[in-house]
Amino acid sequence: MSILKELKQQYILGGVTEKLIYWNVALFAIPWIIKGLLSLFGIGFNFTDYISLSSNPSDLAWKPWSVISYAFFHADIFHVLFNLIILNFVGRLFLTFFTQKQLLSLYLMGAIFAGLIYILSYLLFPALSNQLVTLVGASGAIMAVLFAVSSYAPYMQIRLLLIGNIKLWHIAVFYLVIDLISLSYTNVGGHIAHLGGALFGYLYASQLKKGTDITKGFTSLMDSIVNLFKAKKNTPFKKVHKNTTYTKPKPSPKDKSQQQIDEILDKISKSGYDSLTKDEKEFLFKAGKS
């Protein structure tokens, strides 16, 4: 199986955390590759103008998508690498307590909330009011996920290399202190967005403990949008014949294939995708295309 086929299969079988990582990697790499190729022909193209979130709220009039798009693009390789390592870590922790849909809704709403806090800060704080800057990066959304799970299960034990066992709230407080200290240095807008995401994550968890999911409406909206693009399957009319004698049907090739798929998926759930043999990966990929 080729690398592209295997990546495609892992994407299909992966959860929301894996899909968000794939999207962040793709949306980081592809624009920079295109920009590099265009530069060879002397063509300049600054794609960040169209996807970054501006501190000037009037810019939302011509790029309203930027309140979401900024959270899927990054400034450089180290920026995206660090963010995705943290996303993989906190995403898996979050799914210990919550669902895949809740993770996606929290990530997107956390990004929106962090972006709005970022814009509002440049309108309210005197030291920032005359500055025009732009924001990219998934950090605000990731901080929302981190603080949601940290607020929901603060005493959960986490084992870190070279450090040992610590509580989850220790990690959240560490990042919070770093962002507060960094407000007096560079990338003030980025750190404000981090704090905005952290605040949303805390609000999400605190309301959830009271029985209210503040992302529920957003999740319903996404479901409605997805359903609009789903093709409606027309069920053809079938004439039913009554059979007075019953004979046990022989298992069809399709039934056997489904049984094999179920066995492979069960193996993945127990030992992970990498435990599959080459033939099993190939079979699963072909089954996914049929």
Side-chain angles (χ1 to χ4, degrees):
M1 184 185 296
S2 69
I3 294 176
L4 288 178
K5 285 183 178 179
E6 185 158 352
L7 288 174
K8 180 181 178 181
Q9 192 64 43
Q10 289 180 347
Y11 176 82
I12 293 171
L13 294 174
V16 169
T17 302
E18 290 78 10
K19 286 179 171 60
L20 286 172
I21 290 173
Y22 272 82
W23 274 103
N24 274 281
V25 170
L27 292 175
F28 166 74
I30 294 172
W32 283 105
I33 290 172
I34 293 174
K35 183 177 181 179
L37 292 174
L38 290 176
S39 68
L40 297 176
F41 298 93
I43 302 174
F45 175 64
N46 190 6
F47 67 91
T48 55
D49 288 342
Y50 301 93
I51 51 85
S52 61
L53 184 63
S54 172
S55 60
N56 183 0
S58 64
D59 285 341
L60 288 173
W62 68 272
K63 55 173 184 175
W65 57 83
S66 63
V67 75
I68 283 285
S69 63
Y70 86 92
F72 287 90
F73 291 83
H74 292 81
D76 55 55
I77 186 68
F78 296 106
H79 189 199
V80 68
L81 181 62
F82 180 78
N83 273 349
L84 296 189
I85 290 173
I86 303 300
L87 174 59
N88 183 59
F89 171 71
V90 299
R92 293 176 185 275
L93 290 178
F94 183 88
L95 292 173
T96 305
F97 305 99
F98 308 107
T99 66
Q100 303 277 351
K101 279 188 177 182
Q102 285 175 309
L103 174 58
L104 181 59
S105 294
L106 177 60
Y107 181 94
L108 295 176
M109 285 196 68
I112 294 172
F113 188 87
L116 294 178
I117 291 294
Y118 156 81
I119 292 174
L120 191 62
S121 297
Y122 278 85
L123 292 176
L124 296 179
F125 294 119
L128 304 176
S129 59
N130 295 323
Q131 298 181 31
L132 180 61
V133 295
T134 56
L135 177 70
V136 291
S139 304
I142 294 170
M143 287 288 281
V145 179
L146 171 60
F147 271 77
V149 69
S150 298
S151 301
Y152 191 82
Y155 301 107
M156 183 179 183
Q157 291 283 342
I158 304 296
R159 184 170 182 80
L160 297 180
L161 290 175
L162 304 178
I163 297 177
N165 291 333
I166 61 173
K167 293 179 175 64
L168 188 53
W169 73 267
H170 294 155
I171 298 176
V173 169
F174 172 79
Y175 280 104
L176 181 66
V177 171
I178 291 297
D179 281 314
L180 289 172
I181 292 173
S182 299
L183 288 175
S184 59
Y185 295 96
T186 58
N187 190 26
V188 177
H191 294 294
I192 288 175
H194 296 177
L195 296 173
L199 175 60
F200 186 82
Y202 169 77
L203 293 174
Y204 173 83
S206 61
Q207 290 301 305
L208 204 60
K209 288 180 179 179
K210 298 176 182 178
T212 303
D213 185 350
I214 60 177
T215 65
K216 188 176 181 180
F218 187 81
T219 302
S220 299
L221 176 62
M222 287 197 300
D223 286 340
S224 301
I225 295 172
V226 170
N227 290 332
L228 286 176
F229 292 94
K230 282 186 177 179
K232 294 183 178 180
K233 296 182 179 179
N234 296 319
T235 305
F237 174 77
K238 292 182 179 179
K239 188 176 182 180
V240 179
H241 297 275
K242 187 176 181 180
N243 188 1
T244 56
T245 60
Y246 173 77
T247 56
K248 187 177 180 179
K250 295 180 179 180
S252 66
K254 186 176 181 180
D255 293 331
K256 292 180 179 179
S257 297
Q258 185 59 49
Q259 183 180 355
Q260 190 173 353
I261 291 172
D262 292 340
E263 290 173 354
I264 292 174
L265 292 177
D266 186 55
K267 185 176 179 181
I268 292 174
S269 67
K270 292 179 179 178
S271 307
Y273 181 80
D274 292 333
S275 66
L276 299 183
T277 64
K278 181 180 179 182
D279 291 338
E280 287 172 332
K281 291 178 181 178
E282 187 69 35
F283 175 81
L284 197 59
F285 179 75
K286 289 179 179 178
K289 293 177 68 178
S290 61

